[in-house]
Amino acid sequence: MKPIIIIGTGLAGYGIAKELRKNGYGDAMVLVTRDDGRFYSKPMLSGALFKGKSADDLASASVEKMATDLNASIMPHCIVDSINPEEHILTINGESYPYSKLILAVGASPIKLPLKGDGASDVLMVNNLIDYTHFRKRLSKSKRVGIIGPGLIGSEFANDLLESGYHVELIGPDKWPISTLLPEKAGRAVQKSLSDAGAVWHLETFNGEIEKQESGYRTELENGKIVEVDLFLSAVGVRPEVGLARDSGLEVNRGIVTNDHLLTSSPDIYALGDCAEVAGRNLPYISPLMISARALGMTLTGTPTPVIYPHMPVTIKTTLHPIVTLPPAPGTTGEWQVEGDDSGIVGRFFNSENKLGGFCLTGNQISQKESIMKEMAPL
Ligand SMILES: Cc1cc2nc3c(=O)[nH]c(=O)nc-3n(C[C@H](O)[C@H](O)[C@H](O)COP(=O)(O)OP(=O)(O)OC[C@H]3O[C@@H](n4cnc5c(N)ncnc54)[C@H](O)[C@@H]3O)c2cc1C
């Protein structure tokens, strides 16, 4: 009997493995991962510093424990090189592994800006435990951190660094912080709270050149200002890992294309998590992947179950000014109505039918989440 093979041991890979066992799947299961296979919750990476947590603290289970708990075989430090969908075989280091069903949970990788200058290759990105270990090591010799990308992840790292006593400067072309998820007034409230804690913002300016100095790095911004720090962190978003799927002949778009049952363009190959574009939507957050894992666990154990997303607000861990936001679906026409001040904002997005199509709550207003969720138009 050929096993189910899952590629990836992030929250999506381990999530579907758990769901399969929970639903009584009793046959062989193999998980393959290019990292060390320890279980951790990725969102903790941008809030762990202030809590004093090392990478080892964040890893809540070893690969051996995960293998025992899941009654699965886990292959760490293994990169899947290719998939042959017709033969139902994948290859790792030239060796062939047959599968009955294949599940792609290969995640997303940080977008690497085409930076110039002799310091460009020293710019860090933090997307897994190994990156985080490296980040902490560099921080131990640093006091000033420059963050390229004042979006969700950049603002969370800024918050964590400020709370941990670092000097933080944020740089990016954006007009206001977290501009893809928040209306301007809400972004400005976050900006003010982080500024009060010492953050320096350089918005609508960056020339993409990082130079090494005798000690640390510098960049000259388009507006002529100079930023000098001990390390630069880039947090400009993630891109779904589609290379393996594309090279294996699967349909890819922004993510690996699946239908609402998470089936890719190839029979017996499924995808979920940050890598997947499910019925036209790539949603790189925890709630969608948990919902997907539950649905796929049912489907693969005999009860075909489509992925149906409810409203899924995103909590942003800027503890100096917390945020809950449910941005309108891309392409929705309408407008934001925003109330409040720098201590807290309530934003409601009304669509062209004058129905509530999104919201944001910040600061002292986040407790309104449950009541505003009830106002949302049903999906
Ligand atoms: C700093 C940070 C903070 C975040 N905070 C939040 C938050 O507060 N709320 C929220 O909802 N979301 C948050 N997110 C997003 C969330 O963490 C992700 O949506 C989620 O963790 C993605 O899980 P995944 O399993 O799809 O991918 P990943 O965790 O990236 O796992 C991908 C796996 O695939 C493996 N892999 C890839 N290619 C191969 C290959 N060819 N061969 C073998 N193995 C391979 C990798 O080794 C890895 O095990 C945050 C993300 C970051 C980076």
Side-chain angles (χ1 to χ4, degrees):
M1 179 78 188
K2 294 180 203 166
I4 282 187
I5 299 187
I6 300 167
I7 311 178
T9 56
L11 291 170
Y14 277 140
I16 178 59
K18 283 181 197 171
E19 289 296 326
L20 285 168
R21 289 301 187 220
K22 197 176 89 190
N23 294 336
Y25 177 77
D27 292 334
M29 192 194 288
V30 176
L31 290 96
V32 186
T33 177
R34 67 179 171 201
D35 57 40
D36 62 16
R38 289 186 291 175
F39 181 83
Y40 76 106
S41 175
K42 185 175 285 198
M44 294 185 75
L45 293 175
S46 49
L49 212 56
F50 184 53
K51 295 190 179 114
K53 297 221 182 265
S54 67
D56 288 346
D57 297 330
L58 293 181
S60 56
S62 66
V63 65
E64 293 80 11
K65 175 152 183 1
M66 292 308 293
T68 307
D69 289 355
L70 292 167
N71 185 24
S73 158
I74 305 180
M75 302 171 61
H77 306 296
C78 286
I79 296 178
V80 175
D81 304 314
S82 64
I83 302 164
N84 181 333
E86 283 77 38
E87 307 268 323
H88 281 51
I89 281 172
L90 54 80
T91 54
I92 301 170
N93 276 335
E95 273 195 49
S96 298
Y97 294 82
Y99 60 80
S100 55
K101 310 250 185 244
L102 179 64
I103 302 173
L104 303 173
V106 289
S109 297
I111 294 170
K112 208 169 171 203
L113 289 176
L115 298 171
K116 295 170 282 180
D118 62 358
S121 58
D122 294 348
V123 173
L124 294 183
M125 292 179 282
V126 178
N127 190 44
N128 55 42
L129 287 180
I130 296 165
D131 296 342
Y132 180 69
T133 305
H134 194 47
F135 178 50
R136 294 220 0 158
K137 209 165 155 193
R138 291 274 305 274
L139 280 177
S140 66
K141 295 180 217 131
S142 306
K143 288 195 173 73
R144 303 163 301 167
V145 181
I147 297 179
I148 304 165
L152 184 160
I153 306 277
S155 297
E156 287 191 351
F157 274 115
N159 187 102
D160 201 26
L161 286 158
L162 289 164
E163 296 233 88
S164 307
Y166 290 87
H167 173 76
V168 177
E169 307 209 20
L170 296 104
I171 305 167
D174 321 49
K175 274 196 164 170
W176 62 85
I178 321 181
S179 57
T180 55
L181 299 175
L182 298 178
E184 178 164 0
K185 202 169 171 191
R188 296 284 178 213
V190 181
Q191 183 175 356
K192 165 91 173 51
S193 294
L194 269 65
S195 298
D196 289 348
V200 180
W201 299 82
H202 306 279
L203 299 171
E204 296 184 76
T205 182
F206 183 48
N207 79 355
E209 187 152 357
I210 308 287
E211 292 156 36
K212 265 189 194 163
Q213 288 188 298
E214 207 172 308
S215 160
Y217 302 86
R218 89 197 270 282
T219 185
E220 184 173 346
L221 303 174
E222 282 161 344
N223 62 11
K225 283 197 181 148
I226 308 279
V227 177
E228 290 179 313
V229 291
D230 302 313
L231 81 86
F232 273 107
L233 177 70
S234 172
V236 294
V238 293
R239 193 170 281 138
E241 278 281 350
V242 297
L244 177 64
R246 188 188 44 227
D247 296 347
S248 309
L250 272 58
E251 187 185 346
V252 304
N253 189 27
R254 175 169 170 77
I256 303 169
V257 170
T258 80
N259 64 12
D260 63 354
H261 283 67
L262 302 166
L263 181 65
T264 67
S265 58
S266 192
D268 296 324
I269 304 184
Y270 298 81
L272 80 165
D274 280 12
C275 65
E277 183 174 316
V278 181
R281 295 171 81 190
N282 170 247
L283 299 170
Y285 301 107
I286 303 300
S287 301
L289 76 79
M290 301 306 276
I291 289 162
S292 297
R294 280 198 288 275
L296 188 55
M298 296 288 285
T299 297
L300 295 183
T301 50
T303 311
T305 305
V307 172
I308 299 173
Y309 293 133
H311 292 303
M312 296 177 291
V314 178
T315 299
I316 303 180
K317 305 178 294 292
T318 41
T319 51
L320 293 163
H321 195 96
I323 304 163
V324 182
T325 181
L326 181 59
T332 313
T333 49
E335 64 180 41
W336 283 100
Q337 289 180 13
V338 183
E339 302 162 1
D341 54 29
D342 286 339
S343 59
I345 297 287
V346 181
R348 287 180 171 82
F349 181 89
F350 289 97
N351 62 24
S352 49
E353 289 162 10
N354 209 28
K355 292 201 171 117
L356 190 63
F359 67 83
C360 73
L361 301 167
T362 81
N364 61 13
Q365 299 294 333
I366 57 163
S367 56
Q368 295 198 42
K369 179 180 159 192
E370 295 312 317
S371 61
I372 204 164
M373 283 288 282
K374 289 186 191 141
E375 294 174 33
M376 284 292 297
L379 285 171

